[in-house]
Amino acid sequence: VNGTRAAAIVVGIHAMARQLVPLHSAGSCPIKLPQEGVVTIGRRPNNTIVCQDISVSGKHCEIVLSDAKDAHPQVVDCSTNGTYINDERVPKGEKTVLHHGDVISLSKPLPAGAIDDSVEPPPPRVQFRFEARAGAFPAIDGTVQERVSPTPARAPSPPSPTPSSLPAAPRRGATTAEGFAQDLLVQEQQCKAKITGELLMARRRLDEERLRSESLSKDLRKAKAMLEEERSRRTSAQEARESFRAEVSKLKDGRQKLQELRAAQSSLQDKHEGTEIELTTQA
């Protein structure tokens, strides 16, 4: 066992060692990263690094590692709130290279005024500092630590690691069950907020449609009133027209009678003149 441990230490000295240092949890041990593979960080227990913080997604991000020469680790964002490197957001679906000293943040940057006490300070951000160096990182007691792989090796009869050599997952005083309960509670609150927003939007649309319907009803009543008034005017005009036609007919009849009377008067006047002439002749 001592020979195997010594060989592993010798190999680790010649290789590039990488680790994540939790900045949000005081006293937490650095988390050794494997030479190659994918390390996941999130709130679910099946992640490589479990972080029970309400702002962390179930699977927040991935760190892709490669043992190729001059190959740098890459970060892939898998969350809804975003992953930040040195307060610069990682583009969704793209890989961002990690360098020594970069700070990975799983929550949004602090708002303006949070440091000068102008607003209430938010809870500590979930952050990890990435470190890389040739060889192995020294332990707290001065000895050289081995790297911990996210999955167990398939070598026969591997040495059982002691609890002190295992990396401590950065938790914030919550168990896995409590984390799932918080996750379900947050999802329920989000669903309630979404349903409430949709109901308010539907009510607003209903009110708008009701106002529009009332406005259309008013316009329709006005149009009906105008139509009835126009019908009444048309009826009055037709009645006046019929009355005018009757008056015209009466006037035509009176004119004809007047012409007949004039003709009779002219005939009587001619007879009168003839009678006077006869009387004068006889006298």
Side-chain angles (χ1 to χ4, degrees):
V1 174
N2 292 334
T4 304
R5 186 179 181 87
I9 293 174
V10 171
V11 172
I13 292 175
H14 293 285
M16 180 66 70
R18 306 180 182 98
Q19 68 178 9
L20 292 177
V21 180
L23 302 179
H24 55 279
S25 179
S28 297
C29 298
I31 303 171
K32 306 300 178 182
L33 300 178
Q35 288 295 319
E36 61 178 347
V38 178
V39 174
T40 60
I41 304 176
R43 199 167 62 248
R44 296 173 186 167
N46 59 347
N47 289 287
T48 310
I49 301 174
V50 180
C51 183
Q52 294 295 343
D53 189 277
I54 196 65
S55 62
V56 179
S57 301
K59 181 182 178 183
H60 202 95
C61 65
E62 295 179 349
I63 300 179
V64 182
L65 300 145
S66 175
D67 60 351
K69 186 179 180 181
D70 298 332
H72 293 276
Q74 296 177 329
V75 177
V76 181
D77 180 32
C78 307
S79 67
T80 56
N81 295 331
T83 303
Y84 298 83
I85 298 179
N86 300 328
D87 287 344
E88 293 290 336
R89 184 161 185 168
V90 177
K92 193 75 173 180
E94 298 181 8
K95 295 181 179 180
T96 303
V97 178
L98 267 179
H99 298 89
H100 175 73
D102 288 345
V103 176
I104 304 174
S105 302
L106 306 186
S107 55
K108 295 181 180 180
L110 297 177
I115 300 178
D116 56 3
D117 296 333
S118 61
V119 296
E120 183 179 356
R125 300 177 64 191
V126 182
Q127 293 180 319
F128 298 90
R129 184 175 66 248
F130 174 73
E131 295 180 353
R133 58 174 292 179
F137 288 95
I140 298 176
D141 56 359
T143 60
V144 178
Q145 292 183 344
E146 297 181 46
R147 297 183 184 86
V148 179
S149 175
T151 55
R154 295 186 179 180
S157 302
S160 300
T162 61
S164 60
S165 64
L166 293 175
R171 300 174 180 266
R172 298 182 65 179
T175 61
T176 304
E178 292 175 351
F180 275 110
Q182 290 180 354
D183 192 6
L184 292 176
L185 181 61
V186 170
Q187 291 180 0
E188 182 180 0
Q189 292 176 352
Q190 290 178 351
C191 290
K192 287 182 179 179
K194 183 178 180 181
I195 293 173
T196 304
E198 291 178 354
L199 288 175
L200 292 175
M201 185 65 67
R203 183 176 296 178
R204 184 180 301 174
R205 292 177 180 174
L206 182 61
D207 293 338
E208 291 177 356
E209 290 295 331
R210 187 177 300 169
L211 292 175
R212 189 180 302 172
S213 177
E214 291 178 357
S215 177
L216 291 176
S217 298
K218 291 180 179 179
D219 294 340
L220 182 60
R221 286 195 294 269
K222 289 181 180 179
K224 286 183 178 180
M226 293 176 64
L227 181 61
E228 291 295 333
E229 185 177 358
E230 188 67 26
R231 286 179 179 176
S232 177
R233 290 178 180 176
R234 185 174 180 181
T235 303
S236 300
Q238 289 179 352
E239 291 177 356
R241 183 178 180 182
E242 293 295 333
S243 177
F244 181 72
R245 286 181 178 178
E247 292 293 335
V248 170
S249 179
K250 288 180 181 180
L251 290 174
K252 286 182 178 180
D253 292 341
R255 182 180 180 182
Q256 186 176 358
K257 288 180 180 180
L258 181 61
Q259 288 179 353
E260 291 177 355
L261 289 174
R262 285 179 178 177
Q265 182 182 4
S266 177
S267 176
L268 289 174
Q269 189 173 0
D270 291 340
K271 287 181 180 181
H272 178 68
E273 290 178 354
T275 304
E276 286 184 350
I277 293 172
E278 288 181 356
L279 292 174
T280 303
T281 304
Q282 289 177 3

